[in-house]
Amino acid sequence: MMRRLLIAALFLLSAFPAFAVNPDEVLSDPALEARARALSAELRCMVCQNQSIDDSNAELARDLRLLVRERLKNGDSDEAVIDYVVSRYGEFVLLNPRVRGETLLLWGAPLVLFLAGATAMVLFVRRRGGQPMGTPLSEAEKAELERALKND
């Protein structure tokens, strides 16, 4: 019985995400490490593409984490580190792209689609609002309904 519980516990714990930051990457200064972790969460792993470099186990993600930490140790600001990585890998490396001319459609599309859907719903409801639903009951159907209601 104890063995089954242990196996079940190990199985459940294996579902938790593993963090990719290795102990040898962690900076001794907690403030710099916190900045590094925050920046790493904003940068996309170019191998995995749907994970941040903080979550990825790819070798390139490790290199980028080390690069971020090295730049921070050299005194770069957070913005300077991001700008440096973007200059090397392009805007795609950012998990949340900057609002610029090229990304305006990306940022505006959800709002435009929402407004279009809301407008379509309003128009649909207005058109359907004045129209009766179904056909009116015939005299025979009305009489049958009256009989059914009296019997209850």
Side-chain angles (χ1 to χ4, degrees), residues 38-64:
L39 289 173
S40 294
E42 294 178 24
L43 298 172
R44 179 188 317 272
C45 174
M46 301 305 282
V47 175
C48 307
Q49 294 189 2
N50 63 343
Q51 286 184 319
S52 70
I53 62 171
D54 201 42
D55 298 330
S56 175
N57 286 322
E59 195 62 35
L60 178 60
R62 174 181 163 75
D63 292 344
L64 283 172

Side-chain angles (χ1 to χ4, degrees), residues 27-28 32 66-76:
L27 296 171
S28 58
L32 277 180
L66 292 173
L67 173 73
V68 166
R69 284 166 171 75
E70 187 63 35
R71 302 286 300 195
L72 289 175
K73 282 195 295 188
N74 290 339
D76 284 1

